[in-house]
Structures are given as C-alpha cells and as structure tokens.
Amino acid sequence: MQAHLMGTASANPSQIHLNRRYNTCIRRIFHARHLNWRSNIAYRIGAYTPLRDQKANLLIAHVRVILEDLITDIEHVGSTAVKNLPAKAKFHLDVILENANHLDEAVSLLEAAGYTPLGFLYECDVFHLTRASRNVPEENGACMLQPAHRVCLCFPNAVEPRRRAAFRDALTADGNLRHEYEALKRRLISKDNQDWDAYSAGKAQFSETVLRSLNRSDLCLGDSV
C-alpha cells in the first residue's frame, strides 16, 4: 500500500513530506485548472431547500459506513450546511480521523468507494478527496442520486475544520450576516464569473473577518500539531 505519511508511524503530522501519490494529485489539479474546469460557477448557486439537509445526512451515514472506527466525527460544513443560504450543489464533509496514522487506510477505503484523492491542498493536516454525483443502489433495489461532494480527512488537532464549523455556526445564528455573505457571493459571481480563485479569495476574506470577531483562541491558525 502506498503510504501517504512518510517515515515512521509516529511521524509528526506537522512535518509531513509529500510522496508520489500526492505529487500525482498536484499534477492532476494543475492540469484540470488549465482546462478551466472551475469556470461558469454562477449556474451552480441554488436556493436552500430542506432536501439539502436530508442529502447531507445520507452522505454522512454513507461515509461513516466506509470508515467506521477510523474516525471520531463528521461535520457538514460550507454553504450547503447553512439553512436559508443559497449554495453550490456540492457538499463538503470534514471527517475527523481518530488518529493521523489512519490516513492511508482511510484514503484507500474511500478510493475503493469511488473517491478521487486530491492531496494536502492547503494544510498539512487535511487531506482532500472528491466524488462526482452518482447513482447508488439502495436495499430496496432502487437507486438514489448522491450529490457531488468533497471529503476532507482531518487530523485530530487540525484547526481548519474547527474554523469551518465556527463560520457555519455564525452564519446560521445571524440572519443579517447570512444575507451579507449571500450578497457578497453574488457580487463575486457577477464580477469574476470565470475566475474561481478570485471568487474563493473574496469569500475567504469575509470568513476571516467573521472568525476574528468570534475572539476564539482555538480558531487561530498555527494551533495544529
């Protein structure tokens, strides 16, 4: 089995070295970006419906079955996790590993279930995978359409999943903040319809401002070990 964590089982997650699989992921992402696969994002923004919550719960149950004892928690985060907030039709699950050394096994199990690994994209303690929408057979013989979604395998002390959950909770609790965020997303879409990086940067600046206003030391970057 190809290792995702180089070195011994006691390797410090904050000093992960990139291996062959990760480098392959980076090449795949670089190629995809040059094919402009993230363009035309405007049409993906859809209104909130209660069905979104049901889909998220089914996805969480699906991932729990795959990973079982390797994980301690799953958080539905991102705009799809905020009631009454328009969002893209792609879900985001932060999956907390019971131990960082379970990463290899967890990635292998998810790959076998049809997920594509993207690697450590932004942090050295959060490993990203994605899966397109697909029909999944149910016990009664029918098929259910599972939406496209991202799974982030997070080391136990990773800060980023806490930040995403806190931002989600802040938007859920404050209708004015939620409307402000929606208006921002629509302005960014109108301004930079073909520029995903500009769209993401604009949202990131907003979320950072919100997180700082919470004045929580556990959300400060650099706390992860």
Side-chain angles (χ1 to χ4, degrees), residues 58-108:
L58 289 172
L59 286 176
I60 289 172
H62 174 71
V63 173
R64 283 192 186 280
V65 169
I66 295 172
L67 298 180
E68 298 185 312
D69 295 338
L70 299 180
I71 64 176
T72 60
D73 197 13
I74 300 179
E75 290 275 3
H76 176 207
V77 294
S79 292
T80 57
V82 180
K83 288 181 172 61
N84 300 316
L85 179 66
K88 301 188 302 295
K90 183 168 184 176
F91 291 69
H92 184 144
L93 302 180
D94 276 342
V95 180
I96 312 303
L97 293 170
E98 191 274 334
N99 188 295
N101 294 320
H102 293 331
L103 178 64
D104 274 338
E105 185 177 358
V107 171
S108 295

Side-chain angles (χ1 to χ4, degrees), residues 2 34 48 50-51 61 72 84-85 90 120 139 150-151 171 187 192 196 205 215 218 225:
Q2 178 106 22
H34 279 265
Y48 169 79
L51 183 60
T72 60
N84 300 316
L85 179 66
K90 183 168 184 176
F120 298 95
E139 292 182 358
R150 174 170 296 208
V151 167
L171 291 176
R187 286 198 305 272
D192 295 303
W196 179 273
Q205 184 177 9
N215 197 28
D218 63 320
V225 294

Side-chain angles (χ1 to χ4, degrees), residues 159-220:
V159 176
E160 198 56 41
R162 293 201 299 270
R163 289 165 58 85
R164 286 193 279 259
F167 182 58
R168 173 202 64 197
D169 294 345
L171 291 176
T172 299
D174 189 332
N176 291 331
L177 189 65
R178 192 165 58 248
H179 293 318
E180 185 179 350
Y181 187 53
E182 176 186 350
L184 169 67
K185 292 204 299 181
R186 294 195 182 281
R187 286 198 305 272
L188 291 170
I189 288 170
S190 176
K191 179 181 178 181
D192 295 303
N193 186 46
Q194 301 297 317
D195 190 342
W196 179 273
D197 290 332
Y199 175 75
S200 298
K203 293 195 305 175
Q205 184 177 9
F206 182 92
S207 64
E208 188 63 34
T209 299
V210 172
L211 291 172
R212 287 179 180 175
S213 73
L214 299 177
N215 197 28
R216 284 176 47 183
S217 60
D218 63 320
L219 302 180
C220 296

